[in-house]
């Protein structure tokens, strides 16, 4: 907080939201500037509006004082930048206090929320009401915002895994402080406002996803009816090059609706990082974890080269038929296809210890990993995946995990590929080779998010407290992004440090985005640099003003 | 063609597309100005570009000469305005010559087309290749453009019934003649361009649907794999007030994925208009067709007050289970739930005549209506629904039907409502009472297009050759639109004569649209008035220029 301009803005904001909701304490600001990788964007203050009207007023002040702001819902954008803004000097607009659940319908299966509503909060809300509806949850954290994740186009594991596709009726505060509602919500007393994506005329929702064109202060999220019967499935594939055949076998089932949910396939590194931290002893302290060590661990822990999970939802008869089709499709391509339901899970938990005595396999440890994923497939939030961000740490994670605070290094690269074996094989091959060569472990998970594409999440885990690792990891991430893009595999989401990384075919698309940004936010006060490169905007402004 | 400006523009366009592709013959222009209702927008010329580059050049000329243009793909926007532009004095840009199928994948189930590709053409393409993929078709006409219908957010009957939701990778020529591609297509060699709706950053596709912000010259359309087994279902409900219970019974099956397609429910008037023309004899020439006459016809023709149709897609076992669930859900709510597959349809056709002798029921006539709908549920285009546009005519339709040419009056009102019984009951009640009171027949079909909403299409059919009917029908349509909007049921699509009819809650949304339009098309040369009211734009321009 070094300029007069900032001080004046802070004074104005304090008048709107109250002194207690404007944070300028140095330690809090330093925390907010810290993510799971190195990024040096200063945060001069944190402002916490409590209502939509306060958000509007905050933006009017930002315009008047020409101080840029950057909204966060819960700030749990792990692996992509946590709470850190996409450019230097943005005041955080923390929407966490706006955490009301505004509307809910059991019959029409939706809930309308504010940005501060977290996965855990929505889950508790549904449980309290004994609702027969399931939410979808990402593995990020129970304390992650529903709206935040949806606007970033995050995804989970159920048939409603594609969050953006299952949302509608946004209330958006534009950078000048005015408000619009999307879809039919723009009309008075519209009965379909929470039910229908498009209204009449152009569809604007997409403009506000992965952008800096407005702040979504209300959203309807569709929920799925709990099925009569639920059964998870798990399978393995022992060969590194067996992934392609599995995807080609699953694709027809995804296309014809037999598999309706976003099933996952994780490689050995990914599963290992969920089971334990880096095996320092085994490698004698060496990094990265090379193939032969991985082979030993795979064998010991009964991990496949590829490890699939997904679930079947429906009546008993529907699930039975899906099971038959899944078995037939995976025959000869996957091993140990197993089905798990509530009854079996309870049994397994009870007999894990005796089972280990007989078989030597540590079922209990495996269950500790299986159960959270099993829950996610029923839309139950978990913080278990956070464990893996401590992968390269030399000490175990504390009871209350916080990767930002604890210096966990994590960069997520998330390329999208055609849902076919050849593409998946090529993509994972490039990533595995490149990452190992640069001294890290390629922890890869593949989500069959849609009928025609797979979304990969490649985690680069490291220890930020090791000298030079920040730089090495960033350089590895940049190289990976470029190598995959060169082969036609572009990321669906970017980290706040890399939002200018995507090169268009020609400049028309970027110019259109820039024109949009300039029209809606002429002073560039909302999240400058977020998905619409800031340099372009500045060039544009200097040319046009 | 009365101004120098127009003459100069025509000269320029002739140089680009060739003299033979610029139409200025009076009779052709009068035809293009004719729709199924009264609208007086003059068309000074028709220009027919053959390539995307020609479209770009045509738009540059339009800007230079300041002559507005209005693109049509096939111009079969029946009931909403056919080929007629949304404002006076627009030159038609007829994209019909751009009819190439550019890309196709049997494995990933998509096809990439130009605007001139019609339903019939795509169907023939798939048949020739003996493809195992089904397209979705609307009932409009086999010669209706795939892209045109998708951009208007039209819908059909299969699980891919929501056309816009099953499209991606648009190539769009902006009003200034520049080109963008949406989604990942913006990146060089992107492997997921035809597979993934969103790319990275804001999603722009929606901007170009129901708008005047660009011309889509290429689009990927997703196709569905033909199921192992297909079975259509039909049911009736004899009570006018029985609709609500049926919708409430079907909703859970739509929500849980048992019913995956866009099933239809048509009222008695709708079915009657598909079976025959207006019963002039029965009513002694009186209109409208009142309830007691309708009751007689219902009884005679075995039509229900509500008549449902839909289909089940899957393996034999999947369809069997869906059938069980459907039977259970409709028990006591619908009558004569019947299932029809290919085998049974062949049998019925063979035995229609003997069956009539025994039962007295004209099965042949009913099959003539059932078969096209059965085909539509398998994505087979048909022109059968065009028959009903001749409803009020005193002579039978000619072999080659053309509602525009033949003075068929048709206005389609298409409100969206929550997928619940109460809303459907209220909406259809309002429409039925209002339309009969104004002297027309309420031909209503309800499509359960999504899990949470129903899309109604209410056809106002009349004879344009009867003095005063144009005015009476328009006034009825306007009143209907207003009455439904007042109750919260807004239309998903508007006729070119009514695009300024929707009143926002406040002006911010309209202002944003207007700003967008002005930014992208400062001279307003692309389809002025189309979904973004022209008056606003002119007000804006006079204020800002």
């Amino acid at each position: 907080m070094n300029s007069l301009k900032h001080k004046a803005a802070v004074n104005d904001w304090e008048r709107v939201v109250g002194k207690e909701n404007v944070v300028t304490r140095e330690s809090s600001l330093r925390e907010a500037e810290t993510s799971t990788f190195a990024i040096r964007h200063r945060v001069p203050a944190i402002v916490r509006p409590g209502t939509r009207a306060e958000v509007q007023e905050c933006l009017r002040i930002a315009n008047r004082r020409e101080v840029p702001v950057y909204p966060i819902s819960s700030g749990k954008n792990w692996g992509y930048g946590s709470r850190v803004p996409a450019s230097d000097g943005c005041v955080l607009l923390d929407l966490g206090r706006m955490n009301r659940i505004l509307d809910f319908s059991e019959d029409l299966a939706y809930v309308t929320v504010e940005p501060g509503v977290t996965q855990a909060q929505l889950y508790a809300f549904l449980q309290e009401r004994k609702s027969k509806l399931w939410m979808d949850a990402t593995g990020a954290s129970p304390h992650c915002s529903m709206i935040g994740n949806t606007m970033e186009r995050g995804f989970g594991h159920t048939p409603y895994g594609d969050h953006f596709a299952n949302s509608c009726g946004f209330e958006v505060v534009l950078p000048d402080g005015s408000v619009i509602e999307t879809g039919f919500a723009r009309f008075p007393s519209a009965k379909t406002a929470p039910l229908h994506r498009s209204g009449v005329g152009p569809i604007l929702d997409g403009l506000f996803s992965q952008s800096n064109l407005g702040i979504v202060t209300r959203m309807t999220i569709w929920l799925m009816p709990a099925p009569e019967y639920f059964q998870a499935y798990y399978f393995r594939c022992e060969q590194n090059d067996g992934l392609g055949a599995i995807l080609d076998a699953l694709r027809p089932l995804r296309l014809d609706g037999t598999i309706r949910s976003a099933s996952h396939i994780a490689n050995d590194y990914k599963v290992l990082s969920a089971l334990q931290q880096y095996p320092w002893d085994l490698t004698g302290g060496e990094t990265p974890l090379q193939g032969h060590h991985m082979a030993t661990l795979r064998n010991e822990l009964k991990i496949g080269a590829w490890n699939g999970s997904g679930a079947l939802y429906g009546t008993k008869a529907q699930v039975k038929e899906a099971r038959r089709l899944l078995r037939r499709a995976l025959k000869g391509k996957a091993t140990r296809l197993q089905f798990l339901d509530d009854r079996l899970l309870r049994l397994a938990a009870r007999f894990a210890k005796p089972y280990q005595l007989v078989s030597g396999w540590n079922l209990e440890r495996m269950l500790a990993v299986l159960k959270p994923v099993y829950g996610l497939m029923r839309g139950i939030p978990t913080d278990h995946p956070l464990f893996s961000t401590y992968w390269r740490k030399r000490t175990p994670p504390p009871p209350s995990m916080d990767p930002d605070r604890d210096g966990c290094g994590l960069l997520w690269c998330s390329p999208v590929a055609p849902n076919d074996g050849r593409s998946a094989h090529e993509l994972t091959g490039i990533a595995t080779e490149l990452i190992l060569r640069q001294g890290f472990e390629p922890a890869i998970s593949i989500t069959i998010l849609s009928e025609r594409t797979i979304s990969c999440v490649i985690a680069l885990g490291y220890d930020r407290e090791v000298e030079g690792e920040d730089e090495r990891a960033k350089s590895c991430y940049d190289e990976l992004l470029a190598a995959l893009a060169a082969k036609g595999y572009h990321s669906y989401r970017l980290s706040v440090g890399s939002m200018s990384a995507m090169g268009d075919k020609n400049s028309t698309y970027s110019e259109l985005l820039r024109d949009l940004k300039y029209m809606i936010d002429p002073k560039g006060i909302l999240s400058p640099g977020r998905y619409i490169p800031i340099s372009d905007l500045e060039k544009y402004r200097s040319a046009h003003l």
Side-chain angles (χ1 to χ4, degrees), chain A residues 460-489:
Chain A
L460 277 185
Y462 65 101
D463 185 353
R464 296 200 61 200
E465 284 159 323
V466 173
E467 179 76 24
E469 283 286 86
D470 266 341
E471 292 70 26
R472 280 190 293 273
K474 179 62 164 59
S475 136
C476 176
Y477 173 82
D478 289 345
E479 217 176 285
L480 182 60
L481 215 57
L484 294 175
K487 289 285 184 183
Y489 305 113

Coordinates of all heavy atoms in Angstrom, one line a residue, chain A residues 460-489:
Chain A
L460 N 2.5 -31.6 -11.7 CA 3.9 -31.5 -11.4 C 4.1 -31.2 -9.9 O 3.9 -30.0 -9.5 CB 4.5 -30.4 -12.2 CG 4.9 -30.6 -13.7 CD1 5.5 -29.3 -14.2 CD2 5.8 -31.8 -13.8
G461 N 4.4 -32.2 -9.2 CA 4.6 -32.0 -7.7 C 6.1 -31.8 -7.4 O 6.9 -32.5 -7.9
Y462 N 6.3 -30.8 -6.5 CA 7.7 -30.6 -6.0 C 7.7 -30.0 -4.7 O 6.7 -29.7 -4.1 CB 8.5 -29.9 -7.1 CG 8.0 -28.4 -7.3 CD1 8.7 -27.4 -6.7 CD2 6.9 -28.2 -8.1 CE1 8.3 -26.0 -6.9 CE2 6.5 -26.9 -8.3 CZ 7.2 -25.8 -7.7 OH 6.8 -24.5 -7.9
D463 N 8.9 -29.8 -4.2 CA 9.0 -29.1 -2.8 C 9.6 -27.7 -3.0 O 10.7 -27.5 -3.5 CB 10.0 -30.0 -2.0 CG 10.1 -29.4 -0.6 OD1 9.5 -28.4 -0.3 OD2 10.7 -30.1 0.3
R464 N 8.7 -26.8 -2.7 CA 9.1 -25.4 -3.0 C 10.3 -25.0 -2.1 O 11.0 -24.0 -2.4 CB 8.0 -24.4 -2.7 CG 6.8 -24.6 -3.7 CD 5.9 -23.4 -3.7 NE 6.7 -22.2 -4.2 CZ 6.3 -21.0 -4.0 NH1 5.2 -20.7 -3.3 NH2 7.0 -20.0 -4.5
E465 N 10.5 -25.7 -1.0 CA 11.6 -25.3 -0.1 C 13.0 -25.8 -0.6 O 14.0 -25.4 0.0 CB 11.3 -25.9 1.3 CG 10.2 -25.0 2.0 CD 9.5 -25.7 3.1 OE1 9.3 -26.9 3.0 OE2 9.2 -25.0 4.1
V466 N 13.0 -26.6 -1.7 CA 14.3 -27.0 -2.3 C 14.7 -25.9 -3.2 O 14.0 -25.5 -4.2 CB 14.2 -28.4 -3.0 CG1 15.5 -28.7 -3.7 CG2 13.8 -29.5 -2.0
E467 N 15.9 -25.4 -3.0 CA 16.5 -24.4 -3.8 C 16.5 -24.7 -5.3 O 16.9 -25.8 -5.8 CB 18.0 -24.3 -3.4 CG 18.8 -23.2 -4.1 CD 18.5 -21.8 -3.6 OE1 18.1 -21.6 -2.5 OE2 18.7 -20.9 -4.4
G468 N 15.9 -23.7 -6.1 CA 16.0 -23.9 -7.5 C 14.8 -24.6 -8.1 O 14.6 -24.6 -9.3
E469 N 14.0 -25.3 -7.3 CA 13.0 -26.2 -7.8 C 11.8 -25.4 -8.4 O 11.2 -25.8 -9.4 CB 12.4 -27.1 -6.6 CG 13.2 -28.2 -6.3 CD 13.2 -29.4 -7.3 OE1 14.0 -29.3 -8.3 OE2 12.4 -30.3 -7.1
D470 N 11.5 -24.2 -7.8 CA 10.5 -23.3 -8.4 C 10.8 -23.1 -9.9 O 9.9 -23.2 -10.7 CB 10.4 -22.0 -7.6 CG 9.4 -22.0 -6.5 OD1 8.5 -22.8 -6.5 OD2 9.5 -21.1 -5.6
E471 N 12.0 -22.7 -10.1 CA 12.4 -22.3 -11.5 C 12.4 -23.6 -12.4 O 11.9 -23.5 -13.5 CB 13.8 -21.7 -11.6 CG 13.9 -20.3 -10.9 CD 13.8 -20.4 -9.4 OE1 14.1 -21.4 -8.8 OE2 13.3 -19.4 -8.8
R472 N 12.9 -24.7 -11.9 CA 12.9 -25.9 -12.7 C 11.5 -26.4 -13.0 O 11.2 -26.8 -14.2 CB 13.7 -27.0 -12.0 CG 15.2 -26.9 -12.1 CD 16.0 -28.1 -11.6 NE 15.8 -28.3 -10.2 CZ 16.7 -27.7 -9.3 NH1 17.7 -27.0 -9.7 NH2 16.5 -27.9 -8.0
A473 N 10.6 -26.3 -12.0 CA 9.3 -26.8 -12.3 C 8.5 -25.9 -13.3 O 7.9 -26.4 -14.2 CB 8.5 -26.8 -11.0
K474 N 8.7 -24.6 -13.1 CA 8.1 -23.6 -14.1 C 8.6 -23.9 -15.5 O 7.8 -23.9 -16.4 CB 8.3 -22.2 -13.6 CG 7.7 -21.1 -14.5 CD 6.2 -21.2 -14.5 CE 5.5 -20.0 -15.1 NZ 5.9 -19.6 -16.4
S475 N 9.9 -24.1 -15.6 CA 10.4 -24.3 -16.9 C 9.9 -25.6 -17.5 O 9.6 -25.7 -18.7 CB 11.9 -24.2 -16.8 OG 12.5 -25.3 -17.6
C476 N 9.7 -26.6 -16.7 CA 9.2 -27.9 -17.1 C 7.7 -27.7 -17.6 O 7.3 -28.2 -18.6 CB 9.3 -28.9 -16.0 SG 8.6 -30.5 -16.4
Y477 N 7.0 -27.0 -16.8 CA 5.6 -26.8 -17.1 C 5.4 -26.0 -18.4 O 4.6 -26.4 -19.3 CB 4.9 -25.9 -15.9 CG 3.5 -25.5 -16.2 CD1 2.4 -26.3 -16.0 CD2 3.3 -24.2 -16.6 CE1 1.1 -25.8 -16.2 CE2 2.0 -23.7 -16.8 CZ 0.9 -24.5 -16.6 OH -0.4 -24.1 -16.8
D478 N 6.2 -25.0 -18.6 CA 6.2 -24.2 -19.9 C 6.5 -25.1 -21.0 O 5.9 -25.0 -22.1 CB 7.1 -23.0 -19.8 CG 6.6 -21.9 -18.8 OD1 5.4 -22.0 -18.5 OD2 7.4 -21.1 -18.5
E479 N 7.5 -25.9 -20.9 CA 8.0 -26.8 -22.0 C 6.9 -27.8 -22.3 O 6.6 -28.1 -23.5 CB 9.3 -27.5 -21.6 CG 10.2 -27.6 -22.8 CD 11.5 -28.2 -22.4 OE1 12.4 -27.5 -21.8 OE2 11.7 -29.4 -22.7
L480 N 6.3 -28.3 -21.3 CA 5.2 -29.3 -21.4 C 4.0 -28.7 -22.2 O 3.5 -29.3 -23.1 CB 4.8 -29.8 -20.0 CG 3.7 -30.9 -20.0 CD1 4.1 -32.2 -20.7 CD2 3.3 -31.2 -18.5
L481 N 3.6 -27.5 -21.7 CA 2.5 -26.8 -22.4 C 2.8 -26.6 -23.9 O 1.9 -26.9 -24.7 CB 2.3 -25.4 -21.7 CG 1.0 -24.8 -21.5 CD1 0.0 -25.7 -20.7 CD2 1.1 -23.5 -20.8
A482 N 4.0 -26.2 -24.2 CA 4.4 -26.0 -25.6 C 4.5 -27.2 -26.4 O 4.0 -27.3 -27.5 CB 5.7 -25.2 -25.6
A483 N 5.1 -28.3 -25.8 CA 5.2 -29.6 -26.5 C 3.9 -30.2 -26.8 O 3.6 -30.7 -27.9 CB 6.0 -30.5 -25.7
L484 N 2.9 -30.1 -25.9 CA 1.6 -30.6 -26.1 C 0.8 -29.8 -27.1 O 0.2 -30.3 -28.0 CB 0.8 -30.8 -24.8 CG 1.4 -31.8 -23.8 CD1 0.7 -31.8 -22.5 CD2 1.4 -33.2 -24.4
A485 N 0.9 -28.5 -27.0 CA 0.2 -27.6 -28.0 C 0.7 -27.8 -29.4 O 0.0 -27.9 -30.4 CB 0.4 -26.1 -27.6
A486 N 2.0 -28.1 -29.5 CA 2.6 -28.3 -30.8 C 2.0 -29.6 -31.5 O 1.9 -29.7 -32.7 CB 4.1 -28.5 -30.7
K487 N 1.6 -30.5 -30.7 CA 1.0 -31.7 -31.2 C -0.6 -31.6 -31.3 O -1.3 -32.5 -31.6 CB 1.3 -32.9 -30.3 CG 2.8 -33.3 -30.4 CD 3.0 -34.1 -31.7 CE 4.4 -34.6 -31.8 NZ 4.7 -35.3 -33.1
G488 N -1.1 -30.4 -30.9 CA -2.5 -30.2 -31.1 C -3.3 -30.5 -29.8 O -4.5 -30.5 -29.8
Y489 N -2.6 -30.7 -28.7 CA -3.3 -30.9 -27.4 C -3.2 -29.6 -26.5 O -2.2 -29.4 -25.9 CB -2.7 -32.1 -26.6 CG -2.6 -33.3 -27.5 CD1 -1.4 -33.9 -27.9 CD2 -3.8 -34.0 -27.8 CE1 -1.4 -35.0 -28.6 CE2 -3.8 -35.1 -28.6 CZ -2.5 -35.6 -29.0 OH -2.5 -36.8 -29.8

